């Protein structure tokens, strides 16, 4: 973590200037007169200011300067290095007092005063020495060599005097040397004059040293600043990681896991420092809720003026339609709210289902069984017990891990196992890491592995306690073997020209170069070094001087090598030879040698070895083998095993500190049980992911278990969301893939070796093409002609050789590049976009959700939630002890959001099924021991040292463990690894101090509370189990799940119908017995025909053996549907007879039945379906029972048409015999007078009945009847033919509409039908498009859709302020919602785009959360028996919670203004404020794949709605606890940003409030909605997060 000091400490500290020391800068050649005149006319050159800000005393202390006494008694200072030297003590008060001064422009009086005061100050601090008394003046360039200024090349004159830079000793004019630095920073008194180049060099050097010290102290030792270590900014990756609408990506130091920071609209705006904390510079705009309300008001007012020509409308006023019937137009829409009408849930004539049959196969609801998993025995990979040593378990796990790596890398385990195993052991045992002294956490930073491709039969190695590098000395005469070497490291160059490509004259170079380089070499040799390492080049003259001084020199040494040598030899890295006032520390190496190693290809490699250094600071390994591929793989494995073994040692100390051991017993821990549930895998393929996971080893710890990802479990493979992710979902390589990689890499290396050998041979052949005079071995006097020939042809031969060599090199290079591309392709395939999820290297990290909260803060969450990835022992990780000291045991660490101490906060880390809550308290010992804080052991007492104490407490047993001092290994263990144990640890146990008769059997990692204390602070880590939810969308393909129907219920319904019809028939027979006449005969004939047809239809039910042989059947079973249709037709047939009876009795025209033959011809003269009645014999030749039933009913109606031939006779007989009416046994809610549909589903129009007996038209049955009638089908066919004739495509694609108007009135179909009691009107909007949409979406066909609509009831959902009426079908599959006029007009405008969007989602598998609309209708109704009227527009949409047991419901808009709902009702619909108020304690966590799906769908839908100018929509979310699901869907998306909404937004924006109103522009609403949903449903990451394709995009 970067400290704030490092951000401001970019330059050298600024100090005031003092008067120039004239005596030191006199121009000797000018003489007395010149000097005197110079004093009189000297320009008052004011020194420039180096720094910008005044450095405080704290900042000065960060530059560690250590005083040391040299052998000659002089005092010098050494700067501390960032890695291997402990922090130096701070400067004294004198240095601080000088540093605190500002470098400002001063006048001459101020300079004189400063000179006087500096004279007295010079002797006050004995630690500072006078520059004039030092040895640095002897390194000044002589005045005689300086004829002009080194910088500006101006000639020196009497008035332009010479000035020496106190660092480099060069000669400058006053303008080029007017910089001054504080000598106290370098150990000298007063201010020192320097040139601009040296000032910048010293500034950078000290700033770098200071920054490194600040960073390391801030991260590991010092008290932290306001920045949170868990929120350290890292490289922000692109959104390719997760194709979501999150405010950012995942933060990570890993290449595979993205990271993001969230700036939500539900927190107060944070300070700039907090924004810089998480890299929020990528987000330049504030959240929508933080916009200036005045600016927004002006924007809305401008839009209001633009759209001022639009008119306002009432909420449910319906648009007039000229095509509507007059009786429909007269119906007022203002009185049609039916919210007070409550219908009976199910009418008596409906068959009730017993239960649902099949759960939704594709949804996660069917995947989470409500039954609890029975406890199973679960241990580590091997059966372990309390007596098994933890070290042995780790050794066995590491051995298995090493074998797995050998298998992946395809190298011979027999040859390499001992090499890597022994190397990793010795290296980890030798190197000692101490973060408190400034070391890095990662041990591999101090291990360098050098590969040597040699011709040895077996691989071998050599360990060097120091450094190995590929470099040779600058000169062959320099000693190659040295003992007790003093080493100096220089990060620069030794050249006369300090600035590259600087123009300068030749004369000063000739005069000054030799003297200048001599001074530089003298400075180096004065330190009595024997080896000099220089990062850049060294002048030839300087190199010769060093050779004469017997100093070995290596040039062009890499910076990393310098750093390794610096650490191993305790040498300081000097940035410039000129800046040697600091007197850098010289390193020491016991043994140095330069070796020449012969390689396999015949070449030789020169290496330098620094040996016998302190091995605790770092090691180097020479790894030799005969295969380059195996060398690369072995180096990779060795680095990994060193890290794993080092981590294992720390983890062993941690576990031993807790006395932890695994037990092979039944699971009792909730988190362990939930992790075990993820292991339930059945019927998995042998070559599948689960089997490969079981063979893999992903971690070094036997106490950590990785469960398979949910989507690969038995339940997860049935999840319908799998089809929306890129394939493969979890990519991994098999053994065959690794063998192919090995073969290709071997072929590649062979090709490269052949190319290298070929290039050498060709170069040798070219070199032999010389003139024959040069081939002679003996030197003789050549003939004149041969010499002339040589002179004439040698240049041509040289050119030919050069061009041939260049051509061959180009060809070889091209072939080598092609081979290199092959190597890159192999590497990319292994480490490309398809991440190998079973690669152990990818699992050395953890991803968790972090947030912080303070109850004293007004914000719901001060920090986060942020998704953070941490590599174990990576750059962003931190030791556990360091985390406790810097971020728990201090009151100075404050929150950036609320500026309160983090002690007053609760921090929360969420991973998988665990939520880790971190709290810190200040312990105050009370006088009463009974009132001591809970969780404190009896032996606890505060201490004043920095020792960390640790213990555990079981909240179930209320017992504590013994208090132990935190071991060094546990202190250095990775904090990310500690979180991994608390989240993914297996079922373990440890001993507690308890008086109970039996030991505590609670899980150590998950059920015990972990306490740490230091001084007066106590930090508790408490693990709380959570169960992430699965996000369930309504399936894009609509399917009506069948119900389970008892067969006995169908039989009983048939028997009830028989009783009802038999009652009618018996009543008719009894009435006809005492009457005679022509009319009576006709009635008897009709009765006989009706009874026989009735019995014929019911016999078809009896023929269904399935009803008798089965106990239950599905509601979509063909036998059940046939039986229901027959019962409906039988009811129609019976009612037709009753209606004819009563009509003949009541009408004056009694000639309803004319005498005809005994054969009744059915409609349309269909001879195949003629019904012959002779006694009880009924012959129905139709194959479809439903069609037969329709024909029977229609025949009864048509054959009873009036005839005038027998009217007089009928009237006469009526006078003689007054027949009473027949009673109707059927419900009055059924409108059986309307003709039954001849083709399709038989639908009966019904009325809804409430508990008081009041009736209301059944909207669903009216629409179903309209969609199934013959007239609708004819009009629809005519509409389709019209579209075809006009060459318009009948498609759902809006792009193919050819610019046709979206509001095409011809696409609507109007229907009008009635009976004796009521008249109905139905207008079907976009009939052709909705018909196509239903054909695409409905799996079972539209008949099932009509059957579902045929029976509905009123519905009163809670929430909502529109006052609209709702209805719901009896099977709860569809919902009818009343629409306002504005909503209808809105849908007309965006209908074609809606059809296109849904069709695209179906065909291209795009996720959508829109609650799909399946039809929009206008329904009109007028009762002929009362004044009841109805006219409303309704839409038919899916019921979001179909077949779901939802207990908690949320209506979320993303706004916090007036979005609070009362919780007094039984099942309230909660709003945004309800969720945000309890966001900390009751967050709705979702699985990673669900989070990716949710964000993608919300992004798709919100941007689509925004493009249609739609706003004010809501996300309806219901939680089903039985299946651990959250069902979500976007509803109420029928509102455009019209004038009334703009006025509402304008008025509400003008009111004082901290939040924007709910109604804003569609663009702002879209952004706010996406951000809010992202916050409301945080992810619960697991170990697979970021590795699977769900984090890299959705199809």
């Amino acid at each position: 973590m970067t400290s704030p000091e490092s951000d401001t400490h970019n330059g050298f500290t600024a100090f005031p200037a003092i008067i120039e020391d004239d005596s030191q800068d006199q121009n000797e050649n000018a003489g007395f007169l010149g000097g005197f005149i110079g004093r009189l006319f000297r320009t008052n050159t004011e020194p420039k200011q180096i720094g910008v800000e005044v450095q405080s005393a704290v900042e000065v202390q960060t530059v560690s300067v250590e005083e040391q006494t040299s052998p000659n008694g002089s005092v010098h200072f050494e700067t501390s290095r960032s890695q291997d030297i402990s922090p130096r003590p701070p400067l004294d008060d004198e240095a601080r007092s000088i540093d605190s001064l500002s470098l400002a422009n001063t006048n001459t009086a101020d300079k004189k005063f400063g000179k006087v005061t500096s004279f007295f100050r010079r002797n006050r601090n004995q630690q500072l020495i006078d520059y004039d008394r030092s040895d640095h003046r002897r390194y000044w360039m002589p005045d005689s060599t300086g004829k002009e200024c080194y910088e500006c090349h101006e000639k020196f004159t009497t008035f332009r005097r010479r000035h020496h830079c106190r660092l480099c000793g060069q000669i400058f004019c006053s303008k080029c040397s007017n910089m001054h630095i504080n000598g106290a920073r370098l150990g000298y008194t007063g201010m020192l004059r320097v040139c601009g180049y040296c000032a910048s060099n010293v500034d950078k050097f000290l700033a770098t040293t200071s920054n490194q010290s600040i960073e390391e102290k801030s991260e590991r030792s010092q008290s932290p600043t306001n920045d949170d270590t868990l929120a350290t900014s890292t490289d922000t990756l692109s959104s390719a990681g997760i194709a979501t609408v999150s405010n950012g990506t995942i933060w990570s130091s890993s290449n595979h896991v993205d990271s993001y920071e969230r700036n939500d609209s539900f927190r107060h705006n944070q300070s700039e420092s907090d924004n810089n904390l998480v890299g929020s510079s990528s987000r330049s705009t504030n959240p929508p809720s933080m916009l200036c309300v005045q600016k927004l008001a002006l924007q809305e007012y401008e839009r209001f003026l633009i759209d001022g020509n639009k008119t306002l409308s009432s909420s449910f006023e319906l648009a007039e339609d000229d095509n509507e019937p007059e009786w429909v137009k007269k119906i007022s829409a203002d009185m049609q709210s039916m919210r007070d009408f409550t219908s009976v849930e199910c009418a008596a004539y409906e068959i009730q289902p017993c239960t649902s049959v099949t759960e939704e196969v594709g949804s996660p609801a069917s995947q989470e069984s409500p039954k609890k998993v029975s406890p199973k025995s679960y241990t580590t990979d091997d059966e372990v017990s309390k007596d098994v040593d933890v070290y042995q378990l780790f050794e066995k796990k590491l051995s298995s891990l090493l074998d797995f790596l050998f298998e992946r890398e395809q190298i011979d385990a027999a040859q390499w196992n001992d090499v890597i195993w022994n190397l990793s052991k010795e290296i980890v045992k030798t190197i000692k890491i101490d973060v408190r002294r400034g070391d890095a956490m990662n041990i591999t930073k101090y291990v360098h592995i050098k590969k040597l491709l040699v011709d040895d039969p077996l691989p071998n190695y050599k360990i060097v306690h120091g450094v190995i590098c590929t470099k040779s000395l600058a000169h062959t005469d320099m000693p190659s073997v040295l003992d007790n070497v003093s080493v100096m490291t220089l990060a620069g160059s030794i050249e006369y020209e300090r600035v590259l490509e600087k123009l300068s004259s030749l004369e000063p170079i000739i005069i000054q170069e030799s003297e200048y380089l001599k001074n530089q070499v003298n400075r180096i040799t004065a330190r009595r070094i024997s080896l000099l390492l220089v990062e850049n080049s060294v002048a030839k003259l300087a190199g010769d001087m060093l050779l004469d001084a017997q100093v070995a020199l290596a040039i062009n040494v890499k910076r990393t090598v310098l750093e390794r040598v610096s650490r191993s030899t305790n040498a300081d890295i000097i940035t410039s030879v000129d800046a040697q006032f600091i007197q850098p520390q010289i390193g020491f190496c016991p043994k140095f040698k330069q070796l020449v190693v012969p390689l396999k290809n015949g070449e030789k490699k020169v290496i330098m070895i620094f040996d016998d250094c302190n091995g605790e600071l770092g090691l180097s390994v020479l790894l030799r083998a005969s295969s380059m591929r195996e060398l690369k793989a072995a180096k990779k494995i060795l680095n990994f095993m060193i890290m794993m073994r080092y981590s294992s040692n720390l983890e062993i100390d941690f576990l031993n500190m807790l006395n932890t051991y695994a037990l092979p017993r039944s699971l009792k821990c909730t988190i362990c049980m939930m992790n075990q549930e993820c292991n339930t895998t059945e019927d998995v393929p042998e070559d599948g992911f689960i089997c490969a996971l079981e063979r893999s080893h992903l971690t070094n710890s036997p106490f950590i278990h990785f469960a398979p990802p949910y989507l690969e479990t038995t339940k997860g493979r049935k999840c319908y969301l799998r089809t929306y992710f890129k394939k493969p979902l979890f990519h991994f390589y098999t053994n065959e893939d690794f063998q192919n990689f090995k073969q290709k890499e071997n072929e590649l290396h062979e090709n490269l070796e052949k190319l290298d050998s070929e290039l050498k041979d060709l170069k040798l052949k070219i070199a032999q093409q010389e003139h024959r005079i040069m081939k002679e071995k003996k030197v003789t006097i050549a003939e004149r002609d041969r010499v002339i020939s040589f002179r004439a042809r040698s240049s041509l031969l040289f050119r030919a050789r050069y061009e041939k060599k260049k051509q061959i090199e180009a060809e070889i290079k091209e072939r080598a590049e092609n081979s290199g591309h092959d190597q890159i392709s192999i590497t990319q395939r292994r480490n490309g976009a398809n991440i190998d999820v079973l690669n152990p290297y990818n699992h050395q990290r953890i991803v968790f959700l972090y947030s912080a909260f303070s109850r004293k803060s007004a914000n719901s969450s001060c920090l986060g939630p942020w998704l953070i990835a941490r590599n174990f022992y990576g750059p962003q990780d931190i030791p556990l002890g360091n985390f406790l000291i810097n971020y728990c045991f201090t009151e100075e660490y404050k929150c950036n959001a609320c500026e309160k101490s983090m002690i007053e906060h609760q921090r929360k880390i969420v991973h998988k099924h665990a939520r880790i809550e971190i709290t810190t308290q200040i312990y105050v010992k009370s006088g009463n021991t009974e009132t001591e804080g809970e969780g404190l052991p009896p032996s606890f007492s505060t201490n004043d040292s920095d020792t960390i104490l640790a213990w555990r407490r079981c909240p179930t047993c209320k017992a504590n463990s013994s208090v132990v001092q935190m071991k060094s290994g546990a202190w250095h263990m990775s904090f990310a690894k500690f979180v991994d144990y608390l989240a993914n640890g297996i079922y373990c146990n440890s001993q507690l101090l308890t008086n109970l008769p039996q030991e505590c059997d609670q899980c150590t990692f998950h059920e015990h509370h972990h306490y740490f204390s230091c001084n007066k602070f106590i930090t508790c880590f408490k693990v709380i189990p959570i169960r992430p939810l699965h996000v369930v969308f309504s399936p894009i393909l609509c399917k009506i799940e069948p119900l389970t129907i008892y067969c006995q219920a169908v039989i009983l319904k048939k028997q009830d119908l028989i009783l009802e019809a038999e009652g009618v028939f018996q009543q008719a027979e009894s009435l006809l017995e005492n009457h005679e006449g022509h009319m009576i005969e006709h009635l008897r004939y009709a009765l006989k025909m009706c009874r026989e047809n009735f019995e014929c239809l019911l016999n078809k039910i009896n023929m269904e053996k399935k009803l008798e042989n089965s106990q239950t059947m599905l509601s979509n079973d063909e036998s059940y549907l046939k039986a229901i249709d027959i019962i409906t037709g039988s009811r129609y047939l019976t009612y037709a007879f009753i209606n004819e009876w009563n009509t003949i009795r009541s009408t004056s025209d009694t000639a309803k039945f004319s005498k005809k033959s005994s054969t009744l011809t059915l409609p349309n003269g269909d001879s195949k379906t003629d019904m012959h009645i002779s006694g009880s014999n009924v012959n129905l030749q139709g194959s479809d029972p439903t069609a037969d039933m329709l024909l029977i009913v229609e025949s009864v109606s048509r054959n009873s048409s009036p005839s005038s031939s027998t009217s007089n006779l009928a009237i006469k007989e009526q006078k003689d015999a007054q027949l009473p009416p027949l009673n109707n046994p059927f419900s009055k809610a059924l409108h059986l007078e309307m003709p039954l549909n001849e083709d399709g589903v038989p639908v009966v129009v019904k009325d809804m009945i409430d508990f008081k007996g009041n009736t209301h038209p059944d909207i669903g049955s009216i629409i179903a009847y309209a969609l199934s009638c013959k007239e609708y089908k004819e009009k629809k066919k005519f509409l389709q033919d019209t579209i075809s004739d006009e060459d318009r495509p009948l498609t759902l694609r809006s792009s193919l509409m050819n610019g046709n108007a979206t509001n095409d009135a011809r696409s609507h179909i109007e229907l009008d039908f009635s009976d004796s009691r009521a008249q109905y009107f139905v207008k079907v909007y976009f009939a052709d498009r909705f018909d196509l949409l239903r054909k695409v979406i409905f799996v079972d066909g539209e008949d099932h859709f009509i059957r579902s609509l045929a029976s509905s009831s009123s519905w009163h959902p809670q929430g909502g302020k529109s006052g609209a009426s709702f209805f719901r079908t009896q099977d709860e599959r569809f919902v009818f919602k009343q629409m306002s006029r504005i909503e209808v007009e809105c849908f007309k405008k965006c209908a074609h785009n809606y059809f296109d969007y849904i069709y695209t989602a179906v065909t291209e598998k795009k996720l959508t959360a829109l609650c799909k609309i399946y039809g929009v209708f206008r329904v009109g109704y007028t009762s002929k028996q009362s004044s009841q009227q109805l006219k409303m527009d309704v839409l038919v949409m899916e019921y979001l919670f179909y077949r779901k047991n939802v207990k908690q419901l949320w209506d979320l808009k993303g706004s916090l203004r007036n979005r609070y709902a009362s919780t007094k009702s039984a099942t309230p619909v909660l709003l945004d404020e309800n969720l945000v108020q309890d966001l900390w304690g009751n967050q709705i966590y979702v699985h990673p794949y669900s989070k990716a799906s949710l964000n993608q769908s919300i992004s798709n839908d919100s941007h689509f709605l925004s493009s249609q100018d739609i706003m004010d929509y809501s996300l309806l979310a219901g939680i089903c606890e039985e299946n651990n699901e959250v069902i979500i869907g976007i509803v109420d998306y029928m509102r455009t940003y019209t004038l009334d909404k703009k006025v509402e937004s304008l008025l509400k924006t003008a009111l004082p409030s901290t939040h924007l109103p709910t109604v804003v522009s569609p663009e702002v609403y879209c952004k706010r909605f996406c951000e809010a949903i992202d916050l409301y449903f945080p992810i619960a990451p697991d170990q697979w997060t970021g590795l699977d394709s769900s984090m890299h995009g959705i199809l």
Side-chain angles (χ1 to χ4, degrees), residues 115-322:
K115 183 175 182 180
V116 174
T117 56
S118 65
F119 174 77
F120 292 101
R121 288 180 180 177
R122 186 170 301 170
N123 296 325
R124 286 172 56 187
N125 189 353
Q126 299 299 328
Q127 296 178 352
L128 301 180
I129 62 176
D130 189 0
Y131 180 84
D132 294 336
R133 301 176 183 177
S134 66
D135 297 332
H136 288 281
R137 289 179 59 90
R138 64 178 181 149
Y139 300 122
W140 285 12
M141 294 291 294
D143 290 345
S144 59
T145 61
K147 303 299 181 181
E148 62 182 25
C149 176
Y150 180 80
E151 185 68 25
C152 62
H153 304 294
E154 294 289 341
K155 298 290 184 180
F156 291 121
T157 63
T158 302
F159 300 99
R160 183 178 294 107
R161 300 186 302 111
R162 295 176 176 84
H163 298 277
H164 282 85
C165 173
R166 282 7 178 212
L167 294 183
C168 62
Q170 275 288 3
I171 303 175
F172 301 89
C173 64
S174 59
K175 293 182 180 179
C176 298
S177 61
N178 60 354
M179 301 290 184
H180 291 80
I181 62 175
N182 186 6
R185 301 288 293 275
L186 304 176
Y188 297 92
T189 59
M191 304 295 292
L192 303 180
R193 175 190 289 270
V194 294
C195 63
Y197 177 81
C198 290
S200 61
N201 272 353
V202 174
D203 187 16
K204 292 178 182 178
F205 172 75
L206 294 181
T208 304
T209 307
S210 176
N211 288 344
Q212 292 176 354
S213 176
I214 290 172
E215 290 176 3
E216 291 167 0
K217 290 181 180 180
S218 176
E219 290 182 3
R220 302 180 175 92
S221 302
Q222 293 182 345
S223 299
T225 60
N226 290 348
D227 297 340
D228 195 332
T229 184
L230 294 178
T232 303
S233 175
T234 58
D235 295 335
T236 304
L237 303 180
S238 63
S239 57
I242 298 185
T244 71
V245 293
S246 294
N247 296 335
T249 52
I250 308 175
W251 321 337
S252 171
S253 56
S254 169
N255 294 330
H256 306 308
V257 184
D258 303 319
S259 61
Y260 69 90
E261 177 270 336
R262 189 191 322 279
N263 251 339
D264 52 73
S265 59
F266 311 99
R267 298 184 313 200
H268 294 296
N269 199 8
Q270 299 180 357
S271 62
E272 292 183 4
S273 61
D274 187 28
N275 292 335
N276 294 333
L277 169 71
V278 290
S280 59
S281 60
S282 60
R283 311 239 359 216
S284 57
T285 59
N286 291 327
S289 61
M290 300 302 173
L291 291 175
C292 179
V293 292
Q294 291 80 4
K295 292 182 179 180
L296 185 60
L298 294 176
Q299 296 175 3
E300 298 301 325
Y301 181 69
E302 293 175 358
R303 296 186 180 183
F304 171 79
L305 296 178
I306 295 174
D307 300 335
N309 54 348
K310 298 182 180 180
T311 58
L312 300 177
S313 59
S314 60
S315 59
F316 286 103
E317 178 185 357
L318 302 185
E320 295 296 334
D321 193 339
D322 296 336

Side-chain angles (χ1 to χ4, degrees), residues 1029-1032 1409 1411 1440-1441 1444 1446-1453 1459 1468-1471 1475 1484 1486 1494 1498 1514-1520 1525-1531 1569 1573 1576-1577:
L1029 303 179
H1030 304 276
V1031 175
V1032 177
C1411 283
L1440 187 61
F1441 308 119
K1444 304 292 183 183
V1446 175
K1447 298 295 184 181
Q1448 199 173 15
L1449 198 60
W1450 305 88
D1451 185 352
L1452 307 172
K1453 290 180 178 288
R1459 294 289 296 168
V1469 179
L1470 304 179
L1471 305 180
L1475 181 62
I1484 307 174
V1486 296
L1494 175 64
I1498 295 299
S1514 304
L1515 182 77
L1516 201 60
I1519 297 178
C1520 179
E1525 295 175 345
V1526 53
I1527 302 96
I1528 62 104
I1530 297 179
V1531 297
F1569 184 76
I1573 301 306
Y1576 293 160
F1577 300 94

Side-chain angles (χ1 to χ4, degrees), residues 764-788:
L764 182 60
K765 291 180 180 179
I766 294 174
Q768 294 177 354
Q769 296 178 2
E770 298 177 345
H771 195 276
R772 60 179 178 272
I773 197 174
M774 299 299 295
K775 296 180 181 181
E776 295 181 358
K777 297 181 180 180
K778 296 182 180 180
V779 179
T780 59
I781 300 176
E783 297 179 0
R784 180 180 179 85
D785 295 339
R786 296 181 63 187
V787 173
I788 295 174

Side-chain angles (χ1 to χ4, degrees), residues 1361-1420:
K1361 302 178 182 178
S1362 63
S1365 299
F1366 287 87
F1367 308 92
R1368 188 171 60 181
T1369 58
Q1370 290 289 353
D1371 59 2
E1372 299 184 353
R1373 187 64 184 93
F1374 303 103
V1375 171
F1376 304 87
K1377 181 184 180 295
Q1378 184 181 4
M1379 301 175 66
S1380 64
R1381 185 189 66 84
I1382 297 178
E1383 291 176 337
V1384 174
E1385 294 300 324
C1386 167
F1387 182 76
K1388 288 181 179 179
K1389 293 179 180 179
C1390 64
H1392 291 292
N1393 291 327
Y1394 166 78
F1395 296 138
D1396 191 354
Y1397 184 75
I1398 299 298
Y1399 182 73
T1400 302
V1402 175
T1403 56
E1404 299 181 10
K1405 288 190 176 297
K1406 299 295 183 181
L1407 275 174
T1408 176
L1410 294 180
C1411 283
K1412 290 169 284 298
I1413 300 174
Y1414 301 124
V1416 177
F1417 307 90
R1418 171 169 293 185
V1419 178

Side-chain angles (χ1 to χ4, degrees), residues 988-1023:
C988 293
N989 198 267
S990 54
Q991 296 178 354
L992 299 179
L993 300 178
T994 178
N995 296 326
L996 298 177
Q998 57 184 6
E999 294 184 359
C1000 174
D1001 59 353
Q1002 305 298 314
C1003 182
T1004 299
F1005 298 128
H1006 304 142
E1007 295 180 311
H1008 286 181
H1009 296 173
H1010 298 257
Y1011 287 89
F1012 301 92
S1013 70
C1014 182
N1015 296 327
K1016 61 180 179 179
F1017 301 100
I1018 301 176
T1019 297
C1020 175
F1021 290 82
K1022 181 167 59 175
V1023 183

Side-chain angles (χ1 to χ4, degrees), residues 1058-1133:
I1058 292 174
L1059 293 176
E1060 292 172 348
E1062 192 63 28
V1064 173
F1065 297 153
Q1066 290 179 3
Q1067 182 185 5
E1069 288 180 350
S1070 61
L1071 293 176
L1072 293 176
E1073 286 180 356
N1074 300 326
H1075 295 80
E1076 293 183 358
H1078 188 70
M1079 181 194 67
I1080 300 301
E1081 292 298 327
H1082 281 284
L1083 290 177
R1084 287 175 179 166
Y1085 171 76
L1087 174 61
K1088 179 181 178 182
M1089 183 184 65
C1090 183
R1091 172 174 284 181
E1092 291 180 354
N1093 293 338
F1094 181 85
E1095 293 176 353
C1096 177
L1097 290 175
L1098 293 183
N1099 286 334
K1100 291 190 174 291
I1101 298 180
N1102 298 332
M1103 295 173 60
E1104 297 294 334
K1105 299 298 182 182
K1106 191 173 183 179
L1107 291 173
E1108 299 178 358
N1109 300 332
S1110 303
Q1111 183 178 2
T1112 60
M1113 66 170 50
L1114 299 180
S1115 59
N1116 61 353
D1117 190 275
E1118 184 178 355
S1119 299
Y1120 171 75
L1121 297 177
K1122 188 182 299 184
I1124 292 300
D1125 292 344
I1126 290 175
I1127 290 175
T1128 302
S1130 301
R1131 189 183 291 123
Y1132 255 96
L1133 181 64

Side-chain angles (χ1 to χ4, degrees), residues 49-124:
Q49 186 174 358
I50 301 176
V52 180
E53 299 180 359
V54 178
Q55 303 294 326
S56 63
V58 177
E59 293 172 333
V60 174
Q61 293 179 16
T62 59
V63 182
S64 302
V65 181
E66 181 181 11
E67 59 172 340
Q68 293 183 356
T69 304
S70 62
N72 58 5
S74 62
V75 180
H76 63 274
F77 288 75
E78 296 188 0
T79 57
S80 63
R81 292 177 292 107
S82 61
Q83 294 181 348
D84 59 336
I85 300 179
S86 302
R88 280 14 179 210
L91 295 177
D92 57 348
D93 297 336
E94 176 66 23
R96 273 198 292 283
S97 65
I98 297 176
D99 274 352
S100 61
L101 298 177
S102 172
L103 180 61
N105 296 332
T106 58
N107 53 28
T108 306
D110 295 334
K111 293 182 180 180
K112 293 180 179 180
F113 178 77
K115 183 175 182 180
V116 174
T117 56
S118 65
F119 174 77
F120 292 101
R121 288 180 180 177
R122 186 170 301 170
N123 296 325
R124 286 172 56 187

